Amino acid sequence: MNRLNSLTLFVLLLSALVYGIIEWRTATIEQDTLIVDEQRPDFIAEQLQSKIYSELGQLSHTIEAQRMEHYSDLEVSYFESPNYTLYPQKNGLPWKLSAQEATLYKDNRVELKNQVHIIATESDSLIKEIHCKTIALDLKTNIISSEQAVVVVGKDFTMYGSGLIIDLNTKQMTLTQHERTIYKKYDES
């Protein structure tokens, strides 16, 4: 009887082990499928061009991008090679922002990454260009901020530092940490 009980116990344990492995593999495959489905965009736009207007009907900003992927479950949109043009309501003169990639969140906050370039279109602006690795842009308030190192190119100067805050409505810029400024008078002839 001992052999029969031992054999029965062994078959029972082997069956439980095989059943457990099959259930584990099935659950893993279902989980992998779920993860893949969650990472699929709801829609993709190629060569995107979009104009966004304020509640008063004024042009707020435009965006052009080579590609945009929207994920409604995550409430984000990813952009490749985005070019934003911002139209502050108080002075109306646009600012242009470009980067290699950007992420737009549901609260109208945009993170631009990799080779971020900001250009002031006003011809007599003290600040002409800003270069940095990443910035955060609040589309509701038109405030740009970055904790990263920045290079500010202006009329007759180049400034290096980090920790940038720009309010495009008031044209005020704050550089948290100033490293150096190089002044050079450019000949306009």
Side-chain angles (χ1 to χ4, degrees):
M1 257 334 223
N2 270 343
R3 273 192 191 171
L4 185 58
N5 286 342
S6 297
L7 185 61
T8 305
L9 182 61
F10 177 74
V11 170
L12 182 64
L13 289 175
L14 184 63
S15 299
L17 180 65
V18 169
Y19 177 76
I21 290 172
I22 290 171
E23 284 297 314
W24 175 74
R25 293 285 293 154
T26 305
T28 302
I29 291 169
E30 288 175 3
Q31 183 66 23
D32 289 346
T33 304
L34 181 64
I35 289 169
V36 169
D37 286 344
E38 284 181 4
Q39 293 179 356
R40 286 190 187 142
D42 294 303
F43 64 88
I44 297 172
E46 301 281 342
Q47 303 303 318
L48 173 75
Q49 294 183 353
S50 180
K51 293 181 179 181
I52 310 299
Y53 293 88
S54 71
E55 295 167 355
L56 302 173
Q58 297 172 319
L59 186 60
S60 170
H61 63 277
T62 63
I63 181 166
E64 296 177 5
Q66 286 182 1
R67 179 181 172 95
M68 186 269 295
E69 297 177 354
H70 178 71
Y71 299 84
S72 60
D73 290 344
L74 302 173
E75 297 180 324
V76 297
S77 296
Y78 295 106
F79 298 90
E80 291 177 12
S81 300
N83 292 297
Y84 278 88
T85 303
L86 305 174
Y87 298 90
Q89 299 306 313
K90 293 185 180 174
N91 62 18
L93 297 170
W95 288 73
K96 296 185 179 283
L97 291 83
S98 63
Q100 287 185 349
E101 58 186 272
T103 305
L104 171 65
Y105 298 94
K106 70 176 181 175
D107 60 355
N108 277 336
R109 186 176 45 88
V110 180
E111 288 184 15
L112 290 102
K113 299 175 185 173
N114 300 324
Q115 297 179 357
V116 178
H117 191 189
I118 303 169
I119 299 174
T121 60
E122 185 177 346
S123 60
D124 61 343
S125 176
L126 180 62
I127 296 173
K128 303 294 184 190
E129 302 177 10
I130 300 170
H131 304 269
C132 55
K133 188 174 180 179
T134 64
I135 64 160
L137 163 64
D138 187 331
L139 291 170
K140 292 179 189 173
T141 62
N142 282 331
I143 293 178
I144 298 170
S145 61
S146 177
E147 300 291 323
Q148 304 289 320
V150 296
V151 177
V152 178
V153 178
K155 184 176 179 175
D156 302 330
F157 71 91
T158 302
M159 186 183 306
Y160 300 87
S162 60
L164 177 72
I165 299 172
I166 302 174
D167 185 340
L168 297 180
N169 298 313
T170 63
K171 298 182 185 177
Q172 291 184 345
M173 180 184 90
T174 304
L175 191 62
T176 306
Q177 185 170 357
H178 176 259
E179 291 176 17
R180 71 176 187 252
T181 301
I182 300 171
Y183 294 96
K184 181 176 180 182
K185 183 73 174 163
Y186 293 99
D187 230 359
E188 294 186 20
S189 52

